[in-house]
Amino acid sequence: MAFLHNVYGTKKYSIDYETVASAVFTQPPMGTCGLTEEAAVKKYPDVDVFLDGDGGGWQAEFFNFTDSKEELLVKVIVNACDDKVLGIHIVGKDAGEIMQGFGAAIKCGVTKQQLFDTVAIHPTIAEELVCIPGIDMMPAARKYRDHKIIPQ
């Protein structure tokens, strides 16, 4: 829409490319919005990374009553100074569809606490991003302070 308005319309728009949601329709599909972990650490001194499924073998609640062997990986990257979500990444079923909605949330400045406060639709794949099992209580998988990873 920004292109159409800029070329044919009267109002000029700019695009914040850091908040554009995108997907790669491979098998499994991947969805992403916001900064990568590496870009976030370069730009912000204190970053927390919440992650699940990185060891493989993790399935979303969605698959509990099926014979599916599909796995899932989710990552939420947060500015530790103000709780703002800097990036969300998912590898798994319907990643593109899921990321479209989270793209709007990131564009609006969603925080980790707001993700946690969201009542999840159960069972769905997307619920894993607002519930990353115990995101309100679990420690970050990785913490960066002053742009350096803190050993855990």
Side-chain angles (χ1 to χ4, degrees), residues 63-129:
F63 296 115
N64 279 357
F65 304 104
T66 72
D67 293 329
S68 175
K69 302 294 182 224
E70 289 187 61
E71 296 178 11
L72 185 66
L73 175 124
V74 294
K75 181 190 276 192
V76 178
I77 301 165
V78 177
N79 182 347
C81 295
D82 63 6
D83 204 40
K84 184 177 177 183
V85 175
L86 303 173
I88 296 177
H89 311 278
I90 182 170
V91 177
K93 181 176 175 48
D94 299 327
E97 289 287 338
I98 292 165
M99 199 49 59
Q100 187 66 65
F102 283 98
I106 286 181
K107 183 73 177 159
C108 292
V110 71
T111 65
K112 179 182 70 107
Q113 186 62 47
Q114 288 170 324
L115 284 181
F116 170 68
D117 290 343
T118 302
V119 176
I121 300 169
H122 177 75
T124 64
I125 304 290
E127 80 177 299
E128 305 302 342
L129 286 167

Side-chain angles (χ1 to χ4, degrees), residues 15-23 32-35 99-100 103 106-107:
I15 296 175
D16 175 4
Y17 289 98
E18 286 185 358
T19 60
V20 173
S22 62
T32 184
C33 186
L35 299 176
M99 199 49 59
Q100 187 66 65
I106 286 181
K107 183 73 177 159

